Every structure is written in C-alpha cells, then in structure tokens.
Amino acid sequence: MSQQYGPPPGPPPAPSAGGWGQAPNAAGPGGPGGWGTGPQRPQQRKSNRSQWIIMGGAVLAVILVAVGVVLLVTGGDDPKPTAQDTPNPSGTMYTPPTPTKPVITKGPNDTGVEVGGGIWFTPARGWLPDWDKSKGGKNYILQQFNARGLIDGYYWVRQTELYDAKGFAEHLVDIESNDMKNVKIGKGVTCKPANEAIKACYALTYSGIWVAKNGRQIKMQGFVTAYQDQFDKVTATDAALETRVYKRRVGELIYMNNTLVKSF
C-alpha cells in the first residue's frame, strides 16, 4: 500500500486565540481556515530630511518677514546711479563765478568812430579812413595837400588782451621802428587820465627816418599811448606826423586821444 501525502482526514483544528489569523483565499470545504492573515508589515518612520526641509522653510520665512519690516521702516538703500546719471568729473567741487562782462552801451561821449568794446574816438578835421582795409583796428590818415597818395601822418587805434598797458606800448613802438632808421625812443611815462574807468596808462615817444620803397626818406616823430580798462583790455593809439608839420598839427593827435579817453 502506497503512502499518500495530504491533509489528514476531517476538518482542520480550529485556530487558537492569538494565532496567525486567517490567510487569504485559504477557505476549504469546511469554511474559513488556513494560516491566517500573517504578520503585518511594520509601519515606516517619516524621513528626517523632510523634517529639516520643513524647519528650514519656516526659518527662511521668518527671516524674510523681518527683512521686509526693516526695509519698510528705513526705506532701504538708494539705488546706485548708472553711468548716464553721473555727471562728468570737473576735477573740483568748486564752481568759479561767471566772469562779469561789461554791458556795452553808447554814452554821450561815444561819438565818431567805434573802435570796439564800447570805445570810440572822434577824428580831427581833415583826417580820413585809411584806404587799406587789411589793417586791424581803426587807422586814419592825414593826406598831403594836393598830393593824392602821400600822407603827412597817421592815427592808428588798436586793442588787445595779451599785454598790459606798458607792454603793448613798447610792442607797438618796436613794430614802428622796424621800418625806420636812426630811431630814438624816449623814456616811458606812466600817465594818469582823468577818466576813472582807465586803470593804467603808459606812453612812449619815438622819432626816426622812414624809408619808402623808392628810396625816399621822410623824417617822422610820434608817440604811442596805451590805456588799460578795469576788464584788462588795452586800447592803444599809435600816432605820428612828418617832422615838418609836427609842431603845427600835433594838437590834432592830442584832440583825438582826449576823445578816446572820455569814451571809457
């Protein structure tokens, strides 16, 4: 007789209290039974990493709220200026005052010919504008009687801001003496005109022989007078006559100088 393997005859014994419980799909012909539900899987613990993330988020929220309150109270830092908002550096924070320019108006003594900068002079009778328009300043000439093209003298007014009164007078005398021989220059004189608007005045006399292109020699004598105003502009008169008429007509040069002085 062969041995058979299988469950013993009859129903299985009832499970005792506290056993394994009912196993799924184990019911036999006699009703529920089997090995029970089996042991339960142990419950997993929450990850420590998730807890740190939650705590970190809470701390960050508190910090952001605190920073927002500080910015609300203090207003925060001003935004940094961009390159377009920044002016070019001037090298110093000091802004020099704007130079005061004279207001040029024509006064009662401004008659005749305007030299520039509100300075005028009145030509003496018989003196005419120079026909050579290439010369700077204002140049008037005294023609010889009944001798067109020949002159007895000239009265030339020029202005500069490169020299003071003394320097400009000496400069003009040097220029005039270059075309002469046997030049004699007198001692310079510091003059004091009556017009208070003239800050400085300097005068020089000179004489010499002017040589024409055709070789003709003419004895000349004259003087240069330079006037410096309160704005440091210098107006100078360069006046000369032939020696043969100098004593007779020097008063005309002095008259034109006086009208110039009154115009300052």
Side-chain angles (χ1 to χ4, degrees):
M1 180 174 182
S2 62
Q3 188 178 358
Q4 295 183 357
Y5 295 91
S16 60
W20 295 100
Q22 183 178 3
N25 300 325
W35 299 103
T37 59
Q40 298 293 323
R41 181 177 297 179
Q43 185 176 2
Q44 295 182 351
R45 297 182 179 178
K46 293 184 178 179
S47 174
N48 291 335
R49 182 178 180 184
S50 299
Q51 294 179 356
W52 282 111
I53 292 176
I54 295 173
M55 292 178 63
V59 173
L60 180 60
V62 174
I63 293 175
L64 291 177
V65 172
V67 172
V69 172
V70 172
L71 292 177
L72 182 62
V73 174
T74 62
D77 295 334
D78 293 334
K80 294 182 179 179
T82 62
Q84 296 178 350
D85 298 330
T86 305
N88 294 328
S90 59
T92 176
M93 296 299 292
Y94 170 72
T95 302
T98 303
T100 303
K101 294 183 179 181
V103 178
I104 300 175
T105 58
K106 187 175 181 181
N109 296 319
D110 297 337
T111 59
V113 178
E114 183 178 11
V115 180
I119 307 300
W120 298 64
F121 80 95
T122 302
R125 184 177 179 181
W127 289 76
L128 304 174
D130 190 354
W131 52 77
D132 185 358
K133 303 302 180 182
S134 64
K135 296 179 180 178
K138 299 295 181 180
N139 186 37
Y140 273 61
I141 57 177
L142 178 64
Q143 282 190 320
Q144 287 189 11
F145 182 72
N146 292 333
R148 183 175 178 81
L150 299 179
I151 65 173
D152 285 338
Y154 59 84
Y155 184 83
W156 196 352
V157 186
R158 284 168 277 186
Q159 293 179 318
T160 185
E161 293 180 353
L162 302 178
Y163 296 89
D164 59 6
K166 182 176 182 295
F168 197 37
E170 293 174 343
H171 173 69
L172 293 179
V173 169
D174 287 341
I175 292 176
E176 296 298 348
S177 62
N178 286 336
D179 294 332
M180 295 182 181
K181 64 179 185 180
N182 299 336
V183 177
K184 295 181 180 179
I185 300 175
K187 183 179 179 181
V189 176
T190 301
C191 43
K192 296 181 179 180
N195 194 334
E196 296 181 354
I198 299 176
K199 185 171 67 174
C201 176
Y202 197 79
L204 282 171
T205 59
Y206 66 94
S207 63
I209 299 175
W210 181 75
V211 182
K213 293 181 180 180
N214 59 5
R216 182 187 178 191
Q217 298 185 6
I218 302 174
K219 292 182 178 180
M220 302 285 294
Q221 62 185 98
F223 53 85
V224 172
T225 312
Y227 307 94
Q228 184 173 351
D229 63 18
Q230 55 186 330
F231 303 103
D232 290 331
K233 176 178 287 187
V234 179
T235 303
T237 61
D238 178 6
L241 291 166
E242 282 194 40
T243 301
R244 63 179 181 84
V245 299
Y246 185 84
K247 291 183 179 179
R248 178 163 52 92
R249 311 201 70 158
V250 66
E252 298 171 15
L253 303 180
I254 297 173
Y255 164 79
M256 289 188 281
N257 261 18
N258 288 338
T259 61
L260 185 86
V261 169
K262 293 179 181 179
S263 179
F264 277 84

